Amino acid sequence: MSSFAARCGIHDERREARAQQLSRLIGESGIELVRFVWCDLHGVTRGKTLAAPAALRALREGVGMVSTLMLKDTSDRTAYKVFEPGGAAQLPGFEFASNLILLPDLSTFRQLPWSPATAWLQCQPWFQDGTPVEYDTRRVLQAALRQLGDAGFAMKCGLEIEFHIYKIVDTHAQLDPAQADWPGQPPNVAMIHPGYNLLTESWFDMAEAALRIVKDTAQALGLPLMSLEIELGPSQVEAVFDATDALTAADNMVLFRNGVKQALRRAGYHATFMCRPPFPNIMSSGWHLHQSLVDAKTGVNAFMRESPSHGAGREDAAHSLTTVGEQYLAGLLQHARAAAVFCTPTANGYGRYRPNALAPQSVLWGRDNRGAMLRVIGECADAATRIENRVGEPAANPYLYMASQIHSGLDGIRRQLKAPPATQAPYAATNDKLPTSLAEALDALRGDDVMADAFGERFIRYFTHIKQAEATRLDDAKDKDDFQRREYFSRI
């Protein structure tokens, strides 16, 4: 009888050879446990850990997963009433918390540097009849990349991620059974550096023990880490990664974020990718996504211009971007408000959009302007010419963040949109503003027909339904600070 992977149409001779190779590796390396992991809607890794003998079978047969894991909001509450008649009518296959099957991408196999004799495989969900689950966010990005490929392009992305690391003082409140709640308390923490001394070497030295764990973890996982830096805020740091293809970059973000949290936790630290941790006098963290298109056949940067367009001034996109680059830029601007909820998916993240804070507030672009939402980097004949989107928060699901950029940019290319002049005043009161709340961002997405068509109306309904549950609970919360402390700081 054929394996489940074969019935799904993905198990060919090449995959079988890889499965046999991994079987030998698991046996020869003394691996005892294998984590079969899936990235959920909120960018959190979930899954099951199998003993080595069971893991060998799961390479071909997969691992069962309760389908409600795909229906959770950020509190881990199921946002659909799956046990009520019609409660999951819009989601066939999810009724009554039925099972899905996780099948691993065998190319993602890694041994975890912080967990002895433990390996890791990234998976994607399938229905039991062998059809793919379209709501899986990795599939959403894969579908967007196929559309991009049909247009003759591929995408490269570089990651620039700000986050906070704290030293755990005690976990009494978090682990005291008498204080258990849903969601629970975070640990009590202290800072690893006092902040407000950007890039200072002495603060790096103070934080080096934690940052070495970050470095060692990233490199042991094979991630293209370039630098670790002290950011402006207290206990805030930044990691910068070299550019890769978009799917690899998204996978790397998932692996980095969750791996770093686990490795630091074992050493007595609490890392959070929450945008604005629940303390006074902190600085918001952003995730700046550097992106460019390349010719799918030649790999040549499709944004790079050899010389400025005739008559173009430095305020014009055509001064350093090709026609395709300008059209892509214009598409990002056209759909910026609708895409905001994919770039900043938590209610907490909208506190970052404020003037004169090295964070965007308005829908505009600038030439090497860190106050603008979109920063065009590179002069003529620069092979690294790219667009940096500064709107994202580090908690964003990377697959949805990148897919939103592709769909926005492709619309600009298809409609041959022209970008406005570069801003000289990114915080002017008259500028078209980004959404200021999760609820406003959801409304902007619902009102954008192009994005609904690109992502698919069923996915948009699914996504907005779950995110609306989060927004509604925040609105109803008596203590909104405590809501964010438990829901975001404790978990993200």
Side-chain angles (χ1 to χ4, degrees), residues 308-316 318-319:
S309 177
H310 179 71
R314 287 191 59 78
E315 73 281 1
D316 297 316
H319 184 272

Side-chain angles (χ1 to χ4, degrees), residues 102-278:
L102 291 178
L103 274 176
D105 179 341
L106 302 187
S107 69
T108 65
F109 181 88
R110 285 175 171 84
Q111 291 183 246
L112 298 183
W114 65 87
S115 181
T118 300
W120 186 96
L121 279 164
Q122 186 166 2
C123 304
Q124 291 181 260
W126 298 74
F127 289 114
Q128 295 179 64
D129 65 1
T131 57
V133 180
E134 62 182 318
Y135 304 110
D136 172 50
T137 59
R138 194 171 189 248
R139 283 199 177 92
V140 170
L141 176 57
Q142 289 167 328
L145 289 168
R146 285 193 295 271
Q147 291 187 38
L148 191 61
D150 290 342
F153 301 107
M155 186 185 199
K156 290 190 69 174
C157 292
L159 312 181
E160 188 179 329
I161 310 152
E162 298 167 351
F163 60 108
H164 290 79
I165 302 174
Y166 297 93
K167 184 70 176 177
I168 296 174
V169 175
D170 73 72
T171 58
H172 176 74
Q174 185 182 41
L175 300 180
D176 180 3
Q179 298 186 56
D181 205 346
W182 190 359
Q185 291 277 10
N188 293 323
V189 297
M191 299 184 304
I192 62 168
H193 72 80
Y196 300 113
N197 207 350
L198 181 65
L199 295 182
T200 182
E201 183 185 8
S202 59
W203 278 188
F204 186 95
D205 195 69
M206 182 183 294
E208 184 179 8
L211 290 174
R212 278 194 177 274
I213 295 172
V214 175
K215 187 272 293 182
D216 291 344
T217 301
Q219 291 183 337
L221 292 171
L223 307 183
L225 179 69
M226 293 176 62
S227 70
L228 293 169
E229 302 168 10
I230 295 295
E231 266 297 326
L232 180 60
S235 228
Q236 188 182 40
V237 300
E238 180 179 67
V240 180
F241 294 86
D242 200 5
T244 65
D245 70 274
L247 184 61
T248 298
D251 288 344
N252 286 348
M253 180 62 170
V254 170
L255 189 56
F256 173 74
R257 191 165 53 193
N258 290 283
V260 160
K261 285 178 66 69
Q262 294 172 41
L264 283 169
R265 174 75 189 199
R266 287 181 178 232
Y269 296 95
H270 178 71
T272 179
F273 292 81
M274 177 185 187
C275 178
R276 294 180 58 79

Side-chain angles (χ1 to χ4, degrees), residues 272-293:
T272 179
F273 292 81
M274 177 185 187
C275 178
R276 294 180 58 79
F279 305 111
N281 302 317
I282 55 89
M283 293 293 290
S284 301
S285 289
W287 170 12
H288 305 154
L289 181 63
H290 294 255
Q291 55 191 295
S292 62
L293 300 187

